[in-house]
Amino acid sequence: MAQTAESAPLPNPLIIPLGDHGLLVRFAIALSDRANLATVAFARRLREQMPEGVTEIDPNLVSVLLKYDPARIAFDQLAGEVRLLIGSPDGRKGARPKRYRIAVIFGGEEGPDLDEVAAALKLAPSAFIAEHNARPLRVLTTGFAPGFVYCGFHPEHLELPRRSSVRPLVPAGTVLFAAGQTAITATSIPTGWYVIGQTDFRNFDAERDPPTQLREGDEVLFEAAKK
Amino acid sequence: MTALRILRAAPLTTLQDAGRFGYLRHGISASGPMDRAAFQRAEAWLGGAGSTAIEFTTGGLSLRVEGGSIGAACDGGEFTLSLNGEKLEWPARMSLKDGDVIDIAPGPAGNYGYFRTSHEVDVPLLLGSRATNLVSRLGGLQGRGLRAGDLIPVGSRVQRRMSMHPRPAMPAKGPIRVIWGLHADLFSDDVREHFISEPFVISHRIDRMGARLEDRAGVFTAAEILSLVSDAVVPGDIQILGDGTPIVLMRDHQPTGGYPRIATVVDADLDRLAQMRPGSEVSFRPVTLAQAYALLKAGHA
């Protein structure tokens, strides 16, 4: 099971300026389940109690960027409010994340790296697909490119580093695999991840506001699409 | 219908309003003018302008007014401007009528200039903005740069709402001021010291995404560049690529980055950096947040 954001106290983050309009709250240097859960939980608290002067929040894998208007609040004051928010009890423990089912065509032309990935993990392709889809994943973060989502974490026996070379462009809806994660593209981008499949799901529509559906902390259950 | 017919446009000519803010988590950086102060001065020459400007580059711009009369103004850098073949001063305020042709060529300074009119540029709002984001291919005219033949309709006239005398551009010199960055502590004392003592040079690889710098003193040549968990990026971040090349991320920056960032250019100096031409020397000087806030206040006074 993907864990929901814990109600336990959040780990003590680093609070650091990012220029003169940004404050970054970073829960770890390295990516870990714990640091990402803290990030997701902190972003949720922020949305419930947005400090005055904050113009935008941008959760990442292990950190949240708060953009602020320095005419309304200074860094030190905002940092104090952030510490208060981190130390305060979470009123919404056990809130259930939204769950999305995403159908993927694995392998073949849609997923040219699937066989290589399965072989590297010493699994038959069908066994890899079954393992890949066996448990829901958490949306770790969004926004590397429009609508791009990172989902994780797979168990250790499904971990593979990125490919050594970069594909110049993969289309929207490409399902990527590396570093214990599965990612979905919503626009065409270059990538160094393995291409394991393709989905009709598009997490980006510029004509809608907000333009994306998935948010950090949501759950994604991948399914094999019927060809 | 009144419209602007593009007769000639360099590849990075775009429509820009103040920016598309609030969409970082969706993977879209704000875009907006590379030189915000110049963009605002161009409006002030008119006492109020449509929200959206044509941002042009040293590649130049030529356009013809079709179908009606409009007020227009240009500012930013120092370009050479002519109206129906007759040279005008820079910056400029103009009354343009049907058939008038303006022609802009590079002048002695600057990379970016702005053409604004007393009327609203009539392209669709996308996520609350008309700014073009060339990376995400969003906004402006079909998410792309302008090119010869494009017809940009202008709609209703904007009410005059400010005095028609902008504060002239302040000739600013000296080092570009920075705040130590997210990963400054990953660089040795020696590298950090050289970063602020050695000059860099603006390379020819500059665009709306970022300005690559030449590190002739070899400040980052021997620095070990780690690959990091990708993290949020802001305009002005100075990122050091794997091969040691410093790049200052600009208005169309990638939303996140995985290379270390040694420092961030203060907001008050980012316009000035954007206007520095390839070959210009640039030095960096660290300031405190309080100093950065004071610079912002002085700029808005």
Side-chain angles (χ1 to χ4, degrees):
Chain A
M1 270 300 288
Q3 271 179 283
T4 58
E6 294 162 26
S7 58
L10 302 177
N12 208 16
L14 180 73
I15 301 176
I16 186 174
L18 208 49
D20 46 26
H21 285 67
L23 177 149
L24 192 78
V25 180
R26 191 176 72 186
F27 288 96
I29 288 183
L31 179 55
S32 67
D33 196 43
R34 179 172 143 85
N36 180 254
L37 280 170
T39 303
V40 169
F42 176 58
R44 198 181 71 214
R45 289 183 194 193
L46 268 179
R47 288 196 180 96
E48 284 167 6
Q49 296 179 60
M50 194 69 83
E52 168 68 20
V54 172
T55 56
E56 174 172 14
I57 68 161
D58 178 26
N60 293 278
L61 286 166
V62 294
S63 71
V64 180
L65 171 66
L66 286 78
K67 296 206 94 174
Y68 66 93
D69 176 1
R72 289 162 64 200
I73 194 166
F75 176 86
D76 289 343
Q77 195 190 344
L78 183 55
E81 296 203 17
V82 162
R83 282 192 198 92
L84 271 180
L85 203 54
I86 287 167
S88 67
D90 190 341
R92 282 186 54 206
K93 54 179 139 184
R96 284 194 64 83
K98 273 194 189 172
R99 181 177 286 195
Y100 294 83
R101 287 172 178 273
I102 294 180
V104 176
I105 297 174
F106 286 97
E109 271 177 33
E110 285 84 2
D113 298 335
L114 181 85
D115 292 351
E116 186 186 341
V117 165
L121 296 171
K122 301 191 169 52
L123 291 167
S126 60
F128 168 77
I129 294 168
E131 279 281 314
H132 178 274
N133 298 349
R135 45 195 91 65
L137 300 177
R138 182 171 70 247
V139 175
L140 304 177
T141 190
T142 61
F144 160 74
F148 189 92
V149 289
Y150 295 88
C151 305
F153 289 99
H154 292 292
E156 261 178 46
H157 69 274
L158 292 185
E159 276 181 25
L160 262 193
R162 294 176 193 192
R163 295 170 76 236
S164 50
S165 62
V166 171
R167 275 199 174 78
L169 274 187
V170 296
T174 301
V175 178
L176 304 172
F177 182 82
Q181 300 164 50
T182 296
I184 314 165
T185 68
T187 55
S188 60
I189 56 162
T191 182
W193 291 35
Y194 292 96
V195 173
I196 60 168
Q198 178 75 27
T199 175
D200 288 338
F201 176 73
R202 292 288 180 276
N203 190 40
F204 186 73
D205 179 357
E207 303 294 330
R208 295 172 65 145
D209 196 359
T212 65
Q213 301 171 58
L214 296 179
R215 170 183 282 189
E216 79 286 346
D218 289 344
E219 278 185 11
V220 170
L221 189 61
F222 288 101
E223 305 175 319
K226 292 169 189 69
K227 287 202 191 188
Chain B
M1 185 187 81
T2 308
L4 306 170
R5 174 75 70 182
I6 303 297
L7 303 177
R8 182 172 57 81
L12 295 177
T13 309
T14 55
L15 294 175
Q16 294 296 338
D17 65 10
R20 182 177 290 103
F21 296 96
Y23 293 92
L24 280 176
R25 78 170 183 90
H26 303 281
I28 304 169
S29 54
S31 299
M34 292 291 280
D35 182 346
R36 281 174 305 173
F39 168 84
Q40 286 158 7
R41 286 197 307 274
E43 167 165 35
W45 287 113
L46 297 166
S51 66
T52 306
I54 298 177
E55 180 182 270
F56 48 85
T57 69
T58 47
L61 173 74
S62 179
L63 59 81
R64 183 172 62 228
V65 177
E66 294 186 357
S69 296
I70 56 170
C74 285
D75 207 326
E78 281 182 68
F79 285 80
T80 303
L81 170 72
S82 64
L83 168 58
N84 301 327
E86 210 162 297
K87 198 167 175 300
L88 299 181
E89 292 290 304
W90 185 271
R93 175 168 53 215
M94 301 160 275
S95 293
L96 302 177
K97 57 183 192 308
D98 186 15
D100 279 351
V101 172
I102 75 154
D103 200 66
I104 296 163
N111 295 315
Y112 300 96
Y114 298 88
F115 174 88
R116 296 187 73 167
T117 82
S118 53
H119 295 238
E120 189 58 85
V121 166
D122 201 4
V123 297
L125 278 168
L126 196 80
L127 301 172
S129 165
R130 295 185 177 89
T132 312
N133 184 323
L134 290 176
V135 179
S136 303
R137 298 184 290 276
L138 282 177
L141 196 68
Q142 298 154 12
R144 61 170 173 81
L146 302 180
R147 50 192 184 221
D150 283 341
L151 192 65
I152 302 162
V154 296
S156 52
R157 190 188 161 80
V158 173
Q159 287 293 315
R160 232 216 267 173
R161 54 179 181 254
M162 53 179 90
S163 97
M164 293 173 67
H165 296 283
R167 287 199 313 168
M170 284 192 291
K173 285 205 169 75
I176 292 287
R177 284 142 312 179
V178 299
I179 291 166
W180 287 114
L182 182 55
H183 308 114
D185 59 345
L186 296 182
F187 295 92
S188 68
D189 290 351
D190 207 39
V191 168
R192 277 187 290 176
E193 200 183 302
H194 283 117
F195 170 70
I196 57 177
S197 63
E198 299 288 348
F200 294 84
V201 174
I202 306 285
S203 78
H204 285 270
R205 296 183 67 183
I206 57 170
D207 59 26
R208 290 190 46 84
M209 278 186 275
R212 280 174 195 248
L213 307 179
E214 289 176 21
D215 176 12
R216 291 184 186 169
V219 173
F220 294 105
T221 308
E224 193 193 352
I225 307 300
L226 302 166
S227 182
L228 306 162
V229 179
S230 75
D231 215 326
V233 162
V234 296
D237 271 348
I238 304 174
Q239 178 177 261
I240 314 302
L241 301 180
D243 65 359
T245 304
I247 175 167
V248 188
L249 300 172
M250 302 302 279
R251 300 288 169 202
D252 283 2
H253 64 85
Q254 64 216 53
T256 65
Y259 289 107
R261 284 166 263 155
I262 190 166
T264 303
V265 175
V266 302
D267 199 68
D269 279 355
L270 199 53
D271 290 346
R272 178 154 64 98
L273 184 84
Q275 292 287 21
M276 294 177 80
R277 285 195 172 166
S280 316
E281 270 200 357
V282 55
S283 303
F284 297 105
R285 196 179 82 205
V287 294
T288 63
L289 264 179
Q291 288 170 311
Y293 294 153
L295 289 169
L296 274 176
K297 241 183 195 160
H300 293 158

